[in-house]
mmCIF file of all heavy atoms in Angstrom:
data_model
loop_
_atom_site.group_PDB
_atom_site.id
_atom_site.type_symbol
_atom_site.label_atom_id
_atom_site.label_comp_id
_atom_site.label_asym_id
_atom_site.label_seq_id
_atom_site.Cartn_x
_atom_site.Cartn_y
_atom_site.Cartn_z
ATOM 1 N N ASN A 57 70.994 -55.221 -135.150
ATOM 2 C CA ASN A 57 70.803 -53.887 -134.589
ATOM 3 C C ASN A 57 69.467 -53.210 -134.921
ATOM 4 O O ASN A 57 69.390 -52.000 -134.834
ATOM 5 C CB ASN A 57 71.960 -52.975 -134.996
ATOM 6 C CG ASN A 57 72.193 -52.963 -136.492
ATOM 7 O OD1 ASN A 57 71.324 -53.295 -137.240
ATOM 8 N ND2 ASN A 57 73.377 -52.569 -136.904
ATOM 9 N N ASP A 58 68.465 -53.942 -135.326
ATOM 10 C CA ASP A 58 67.144 -53.327 -135.530
ATOM 11 C C ASP A 58 66.365 -53.408 -134.217
ATOM 12 O O ASP A 58 66.674 -54.190 -133.345
ATOM 13 C CB ASP A 58 66.334 -54.070 -136.608
ATOM 14 C CG ASP A 58 66.839 -53.768 -138.020
ATOM 15 O OD1 ASP A 58 67.541 -52.779 -138.205
ATOM 16 O OD2 ASP A 58 66.499 -54.555 -138.934
ATOM 17 N N VAL A 59 65.351 -52.555 -134.131
ATOM 18 C CA VAL A 59 64.468 -52.580 -132.953
ATOM 19 C C VAL A 59 63.049 -52.846 -133.462
ATOM 20 O O VAL A 59 62.580 -52.206 -134.414
ATOM 21 C CB VAL A 59 64.525 -51.298 -132.152
ATOM 22 C CG1 VAL A 59 63.572 -51.338 -130.947
ATOM 23 C CG2 VAL A 59 65.972 -51.041 -131.634
ATOM 24 N N LEU A 60 62.389 -53.833 -132.836
ATOM 25 C CA LEU A 60 61.048 -54.240 -133.235
ATOM 26 C C LEU A 60 60.043 -53.991 -132.108
ATOM 27 O O LEU A 60 60.419 -53.999 -130.935
ATOM 28 C CB LEU A 60 61.033 -55.719 -133.584
ATOM 29 C CG LEU A 60 62.059 -56.312 -134.543
ATOM 30 C CD1 LEU A 60 61.842 -57.787 -134.696
ATOM 31 C CD2 LEU A 60 61.987 -55.603 -135.888
ATOM 32 N N ILE A 61 58.806 -53.820 -132.517
ATOM 33 C CA ILE A 61 57.677 -53.823 -131.542
ATOM 34 C C ILE A 61 56.687 -54.828 -132.102
ATOM 35 O O ILE A 61 56.209 -54.687 -133.215
ATOM 36 C CB ILE A 61 57.026 -52.446 -131.411
ATOM 37 C CG1 ILE A 61 58.038 -51.411 -130.860
ATOM 38 C CG2 ILE A 61 55.823 -52.527 -130.490
ATOM 39 C CD1 ILE A 61 57.502 -49.990 -130.831
ATOM 40 N N HIS A 62 56.426 -55.881 -131.365
ATOM 41 C CA HIS A 62 55.546 -56.972 -131.766
ATOM 42 C C HIS A 62 55.904 -57.476 -133.189
ATOM 43 O O HIS A 62 55.035 -57.697 -134.014
ATOM 44 C CB HIS A 62 54.064 -56.565 -131.719
ATOM 45 C CG HIS A 62 53.671 -56.055 -130.367
ATOM 46 N ND1 HIS A 62 53.739 -56.818 -129.238
ATOM 47 C CD2 HIS A 62 53.221 -54.825 -129.943
ATOM 48 C CE1 HIS A 62 53.332 -56.123 -128.197
ATOM 49 N NE2 HIS A 62 53.047 -54.899 -128.600
ATOM 50 N N GLY A 63 57.209 -57.658 -133.413
ATOM 51 C CA GLY A 63 57.672 -58.214 -134.672
ATOM 52 C C GLY A 63 57.774 -57.236 -135.816
ATOM 53 O O GLY A 63 58.176 -57.627 -136.911
ATOM 54 N N ARG A 64 57.403 -55.971 -135.607
ATOM 55 C CA ARG A 64 57.470 -54.965 -136.672
ATOM 56 C C ARG A 64 58.584 -53.982 -136.397
ATOM 57 O O ARG A 64 58.764 -53.546 -135.266
ATOM 58 C CB ARG A 64 56.132 -54.255 -136.816
ATOM 59 C CG ARG A 64 55.029 -55.191 -137.265
ATOM 60 C CD ARG A 64 53.739 -54.433 -137.404
ATOM 61 N NE ARG A 64 52.751 -55.324 -137.971
ATOM 62 C CZ ARG A 64 51.690 -54.892 -138.656
ATOM 63 N NH1 ARG A 64 51.487 -53.616 -138.889
ATOM 64 N NH2 ARG A 64 50.818 -55.765 -139.125
ATOM 65 N N LYS A 65 59.279 -53.580 -137.467
ATOM 66 C CA LYS A 65 60.440 -52.710 -137.303
ATOM 67 C C LYS A 65 60.014 -51.280 -136.969
ATOM 68 O O LYS A 65 59.250 -50.669 -137.679
ATOM 69 C CB LYS A 65 61.294 -52.736 -138.578
ATOM 70 C CG LYS A 65 62.553 -51.949 -138.522
ATOM 71 C CD LYS A 65 63.395 -52.163 -139.756
ATOM 72 C CE LYS A 65 64.663 -51.348 -139.766
ATOM 73 N NZ LYS A 65 65.484 -51.604 -140.971
ATOM 74 N N VAL A 66 60.565 -50.757 -135.870
ATOM 75 C CA VAL A 66 60.314 -49.364 -135.487
ATOM 76 C C VAL A 66 61.587 -48.532 -135.638
ATOM 77 O O VAL A 66 61.529 -47.317 -135.750
ATOM 78 C CB VAL A 66 59.753 -49.286 -134.059
ATOM 79 C CG1 VAL A 66 60.850 -49.632 -133.013
ATOM 80 C CG2 VAL A 66 59.126 -47.927 -133.777
ATOM 81 N N SER A 67 62.730 -49.197 -135.608
ATOM 82 C CA SER A 67 64.006 -48.455 -135.717
ATOM 83 C C SER A 67 65.086 -49.330 -136.364
ATOM 84 O O SER A 67 65.097 -50.528 -136.164
ATOM 85 C CB SER A 67 64.458 -48.055 -134.318
ATOM 86 O OG SER A 67 65.721 -47.382 -134.365
ATOM 87 N N GLY A 68 65.929 -48.665 -137.067
ATOM 88 C CA GLY A 68 67.109 -49.335 -137.645
ATOM 89 C C GLY A 68 68.318 -48.461 -137.471
ATOM 90 O O GLY A 68 68.221 -47.266 -137.235
ATOM 91 N N MET A 69 69.479 -49.085 -137.539
ATOM 92 C CA MET A 69 70.720 -48.304 -137.445
ATOM 93 C C MET A 69 71.764 -48.876 -138.326
ATOM 94 O O MET A 69 71.782 -50.084 -138.610
ATOM 95 C CB MET A 69 71.187 -48.239 -135.971
ATOM 96 C CG MET A 69 71.509 -49.551 -135.314
ATOM 97 S SD MET A 69 72.123 -49.307 -133.593
ATOM 98 C CE MET A 69 70.647 -48.712 -132.801
ATOM 99 N N LEU A 70 72.622 -48.022 -138.815
ATOM 100 C CA LEU A 70 73.763 -48.373 -139.630
ATOM 101 C C LEU A 70 75.009 -47.854 -138.912
ATOM 102 O O LEU A 70 74.996 -46.713 -138.427
ATOM 103 C CB LEU A 70 73.685 -47.811 -141.010
ATOM 104 C CG LEU A 70 72.559 -48.359 -141.901
ATOM 105 C CD1 LEU A 70 72.461 -47.562 -143.195
ATOM 106 C CD2 LEU A 70 72.792 -49.828 -142.227
ATOM 107 N N SER A 71 76.059 -48.674 -138.875
ATOM 108 C CA SER A 71 77.279 -48.199 -138.212
ATOM 109 C C SER A 71 78.513 -48.397 -139.075
ATOM 110 O O SER A 71 78.506 -49.328 -139.907
ATOM 111 C CB SER A 71 77.448 -48.868 -136.850
ATOM 112 O OG SER A 71 77.622 -50.271 -137.014
ATOM 113 N N GLU A 72 79.470 -47.559 -138.881
ATOM 114 C CA GLU A 72 80.778 -47.722 -139.549
ATOM 115 C C GLU A 72 81.851 -47.371 -138.516
ATOM 116 O O GLU A 72 81.662 -46.525 -137.651
ATOM 117 C CB GLU A 72 80.865 -46.846 -140.783
ATOM 118 C CG GLU A 72 80.862 -45.363 -140.514
ATOM 119 C CD GLU A 72 81.099 -44.515 -141.756
ATOM 120 O OE1 GLU A 72 81.478 -45.095 -142.803
ATOM 121 O OE2 GLU A 72 80.936 -43.301 -141.687
ATOM 122 N N MET A 73 82.975 -48.060 -138.632
ATOM 123 C CA MET A 73 84.041 -47.879 -137.703
ATOM 124 C C MET A 73 85.319 -47.587 -138.465
ATOM 125 O O MET A 73 85.556 -48.092 -139.535
ATOM 126 C CB MET A 73 84.204 -49.162 -136.859
ATOM 127 C CG MET A 73 85.302 -49.124 -135.801
ATOM 128 S SD MET A 73 86.925 -49.654 -136.381
ATOM 129 C CE MET A 73 86.660 -51.380 -136.794
#
Side-chain angles (χ1 to χ4, degrees):
N57 53 20
D58 285 342
V59 178
L60 310 179
I61 299 175
H62 304 300
R64 294 181 174 205
K65 185 173 176 177
V66 72
S67 176
M69 61 179 67
L70 293 172
S71 63
E72 65 174 350
M73 180 271 296

